[in-house]
């Protein structure tokens, strides 16, 4: 898939002035100069002289090739905000927007205007607009302790926006060989989320001294604005270039599982709803409920098993021996489980920083070095247990991994909350 992406990216670069290979080498050079500590202004001055425009595919390939050449992902990620600042005003999307605005003499015209209101990218753009409006409000209160402490918790809606990006858009890009931007942005998202949690806890413990956190609030707000820029000028155009209508329909269906961020509700997309309803009807027709499952301890119809699973207040996922995400039950609703993730490699469903842990765990299961692992921690303010178990057949051959996630809030309430 990498070659497929690279070919499309080269064709996109070929529509821009200059030799595509030379443009790529120069882009990598600019990012490398930033990595080596050269001031942004100096690098950007050279960039502006050499480039009249740059495509999202070119930026993706530049970041991706740096990672492949051995530049640590953490280093590329550390410079994520600087990278986006380098390209301000020069991305292909921005040039399209400026031409449309000039042609219509309306500064609000954008290259996304042809998308339906319920299209996933339209929803993400609306959330970004609401996010930027909120950041303006937040920064206006940052020097007023009581107002800041009251307003700040609303920023946590950003987690829902990032979840839609990380679990619906980025993994789908992996299947087209586009890994660089997703890896870098996902890691930066995690840093932003950690800082937001830290500030929230500090304000909760000492709201009267919110002014102390004024600088940190403004700093993280700047990073969030840069991330919104990179989404709109790099990530979203890449997704629109690669994804099929069917993929967008599936992403739309999964978005409702993840809620809204900075907008009141998710707009309807009738074309996607028709597709999803037809798909559901077809699946029910092809998989009748009256099939019998013959198990060692008794027999069940498919319908009986399906209804029983819906009663379990837990999340269950299963990946097979080829590391493919094959099945889930999500009645506990601790994490979002997108249907569009089914059939993907498990590696494409996790943030880069924990991939080594996932790799080691699965390899240990396959090698019979261990058969389970339990983790208990607070997630979204709830006491949650996560249990990973190796699944072996009657001959002790590894056939997959099962994950069970359970919220223990109700159970702990019967023990005095301890």
């Amino acid at each position: 898939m990498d070659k497929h992406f690279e070919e499309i990216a080269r064709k996109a670069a070929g529509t821009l002035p200059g030799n595509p290979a030379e443009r790529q080498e120069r882009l990598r050079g600019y990012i490398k100069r930033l990595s080596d500590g050269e001031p942004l202004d100096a690098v950007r001055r050279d960039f502006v002289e050499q480039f009249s425009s740059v495509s999202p595919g070119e930026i993706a390939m530049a970041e991706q090739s740096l990672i492949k050449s051995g530049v640590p992902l953490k280093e590329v990620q550390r410079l994520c905000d600087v990278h986006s600042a380098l390209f301000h005003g020069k991305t292909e999307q921005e040039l399209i927007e400026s031409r449309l605005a000039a042609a219509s003499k309306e500064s609000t015209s954008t290259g996304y205007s042809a998308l339906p209101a319920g299209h996933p990218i339209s929803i993400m753009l609306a959330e970004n607009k609401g996010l930027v409006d909120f950041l303006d409000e937040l920064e206006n209160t940052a020097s007023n302790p009581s107002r800041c402490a009251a307003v700040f918790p609303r920023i946590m809606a950003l987690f829902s926006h990032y979840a839609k990006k990380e679990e619906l858009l980025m993994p789908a890009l992996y299947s087209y060989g586009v890994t660089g931007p997703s890896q870098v942005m996902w890691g930066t998202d995690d840093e932003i989320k950690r800082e937001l949690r830290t500030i929230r806890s500090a304000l909760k413990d000492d709201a009267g001294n919110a002014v102390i956190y004024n600088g940190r609030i403004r700093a993280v707000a700047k990073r969030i604005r840069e991330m919104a820029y990179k989404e709109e000028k790099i990530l979203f155009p890449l997704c629109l270039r690669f994804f099929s209508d069917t993929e967008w329909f599936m992403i739309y269906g999964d978005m409702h599982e993840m809620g809204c961020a900075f907008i009141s509700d998710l707009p309807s997309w009738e074309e996607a709803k028709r597709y999803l309803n037809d798909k559901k009807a077809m699946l029910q027709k092809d998989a009748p409920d009256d099939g019998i499952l013959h198990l060692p301890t008794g027999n069940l119809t498919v319908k009986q098993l399906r209804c029983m699973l819906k009663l379990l207040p837990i999340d269950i996922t299963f990946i097979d021996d080829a590391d493919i995400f094959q099945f889930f039950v999500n009645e506990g609703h601790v994490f979002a489980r997108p249907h569009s993730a089914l059939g993907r490699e498990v590696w494409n469903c996790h943030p880069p920083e924990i991939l080594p842990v996932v790799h080691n765990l699965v390899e240990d299961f396959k090698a019979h070095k261990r058969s389970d692992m339990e983790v208990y921690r607070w997630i979204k303010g709830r006491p949650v247990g996560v249990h990973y178990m190796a699944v072996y057949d009657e001959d002790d051959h590894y056939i997959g991994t099962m994950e069970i996630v359970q919220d223990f809030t109700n159970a702990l309430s019967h023990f005095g909350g301890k």
Side-chain angles (χ1 to χ4, degrees):
M1 284 298 183
D2 285 352
K3 291 182 179 179
H4 171 61
F5 159 58
E6 290 172 4
E7 180 61 26
I8 290 179
R10 287 194 185 95
K11 287 181 180 178
T15 66
L16 302 171
N19 179 284
E22 291 178 1
R23 289 172 61 87
Q24 263 300 297
E25 188 60 35
R26 286 179 180 174
L27 282 178
R28 285 195 295 271
Y30 294 136
I31 297 176
K32 184 66 167 61
R33 285 166 61 185
L34 293 171
S35 176
D36 291 340
E38 190 169 339
L40 172 62
D41 288 346
V43 179
R44 195 171 197 283
R45 183 171 57 249
D46 292 346
F47 168 76
V48 169
E49 288 179 0
Q50 297 292 331
F51 281 78
S52 59
S53 62
V54 60
S55 75
E58 284 189 290
I59 297 171
M61 278 189 67
E63 291 186 337
Q64 208 157 299
S65 63
L66 280 172
I67 295 170
K68 286 184 177 180
S69 69
V71 177
L73 175 59
K74 281 284 186 183
E75 178 64 17
V76 182
Q77 175 187 316
R78 184 179 67 82
L79 291 159
C80 179
D81 300 338
V82 182
H83 294 171
S84 64
L86 175 67
F87 305 119
H88 267 287
K90 289 292 183 177
T91 67
E92 200 174 43
Q93 181 66 23
E94 284 169 313
L95 295 178
I96 292 171
E97 292 170 3
S98 65
R99 288 167 189 156
L100 285 171
S104 63
K105 299 189 184 303
E106 293 179 7
S107 60
T108 55
S109 293
T110 73
Y112 296 114
S113 59
L115 297 175
H119 190 285
I121 294 300
S122 296
I123 292 171
M124 298 293 281
L125 289 167
E127 290 190 344
N128 269 346
K129 183 181 183 305
L131 167 62
V132 169
D133 290 344
F134 171 76
L135 289 175
D136 292 341
E137 178 185 355
L138 176 63
E139 290 187 275
N140 285 335
T141 68
S143 58
N144 184 314
S146 59
R147 288 183 63 202
C148 179
V151 169
F152 187 85
R154 287 163 48 199
I155 192 63
M156 307 313 284
L158 185 67
F159 286 52
S160 171
H161 178 81
Y162 282 179
K164 289 192 278 288
K165 175 178 64 173
E166 295 161 357
E167 298 184 34
L168 302 180
L169 302 184
M170 291 178 175
L173 274 178
Y174 287 167
S175 64
Y176 292 98
V178 188
T179 58
S182 296
Q183 291 175 318
V184 174
M185 293 174 73
W186 202 331
T188 303
D189 287 352
D190 286 343
E191 290 178 353
I192 290 171
K193 288 185 286 189
R194 279 195 292 270
E195 178 67 355
L196 291 178
R197 290 191 191 98
T198 299
I199 296 173
R200 180 184 60 178
S201 297
L203 292 176
K204 188 183 298 183
D205 294 339
D206 193 8
N209 287 323
V211 69
I212 295 174
Y213 307 102
N214 187 350
R216 293 184 70 168
I217 290 172
R218 293 186 185 281
V220 75
K222 181 179 179 181
R223 296 196 76 188
I224 293 168
R225 290 179 192 273
E226 283 295 334
M227 181 55 69
Y229 170 87
K230 197 165 187 180
E231 289 172 9
E232 295 182 15
K233 310 308 179 187
I234 301 173
L235 180 66
F236 297 166
L238 281 171
C239 294
L240 289 170
R241 178 172 289 165
F242 285 102
F243 296 176
S244 66
D245 287 345
T246 299
E247 286 174 302
W248 285 122
F249 295 156
M250 293 296 294
I251 290 170
Y252 167 81
D254 285 327
M255 275 195 163
H256 291 76
E257 175 79 10
M258 300 180 177
C260 301
F262 309 104
I263 57 177
S264 57
D265 54 31
L266 297 179
S268 179
W269 187 14
E270 293 305 317
E271 187 179 4
K273 289 170 67 174
R274 285 194 298 273
Y275 170 84
L276 294 170
N277 288 335
D278 290 346
K279 181 180 176 66
K280 182 178 179 181
M282 187 178 298
L283 287 174
Q284 290 176 340
K285 180 180 178 181
D286 293 343
D289 283 341
D290 57 356
I292 303 296
L293 297 174
H294 300 282
L295 304 171
T297 52
N299 302 324
L300 290 171
T301 66
V302 172
K303 180 177 182 179
Q304 288 169 338
L305 178 60
R306 177 171 54 80
C307 292
M308 287 169 61
L309 289 174
K310 283 183 67 67
L311 295 176
L312 299 178
I314 57 176
D315 300 345
I316 304 173
T317 59
F318 176 76
I319 64 168
D320 64 18
D321 58 349
D323 308 322
I324 303 299
F325 182 26
Q326 293 287 10
F327 173 81
F328 72 89
V329 173
N330 197 35
E331 300 307 317
H333 299 290
V334 175
F335 301 116
R337 304 289 183 186
H339 285 79
S340 54
L342 291 170
R344 291 185 189 146
E345 287 190 331
V346 67
W347 322 121
N348 297 343
C349 303
H350 293 82
E353 66 177 18
I354 71 165
L355 275 180
V357 177
V358 179
H359 269 288
N360 289 338
L361 179 65
V362 172
E363 289 306 310
D364 282 356
F365 284 176
K366 291 179 178 180
H368 291 260
K369 291 183 178 179
R370 51 177 165 168
S371 60
D372 75 314
M373 183 177 79
E374 293 182 78
V375 178
Y376 295 92
R377 60 190 180 94
W378 291 92
I379 298 175
K380 300 176 184 178
R382 296 181 286 174
V384 171
V386 184
H387 193 180
Y388 303 94
M389 291 168 280
V391 182
Y392 302 108
D393 64 14
E394 294 82 355
D395 297 318
D396 212 25
H397 295 142
Y398 173 82
I399 60 173
T401 294
M402 180 169 67
E403 175 196 59
I404 295 179
V405 181
Q406 185 170 1
D407 180 349
F408 286 96
T409 302
N410 185 56
L412 287 177
S413 69
H414 295 283
F415 295 90
K418 297 181 180 179

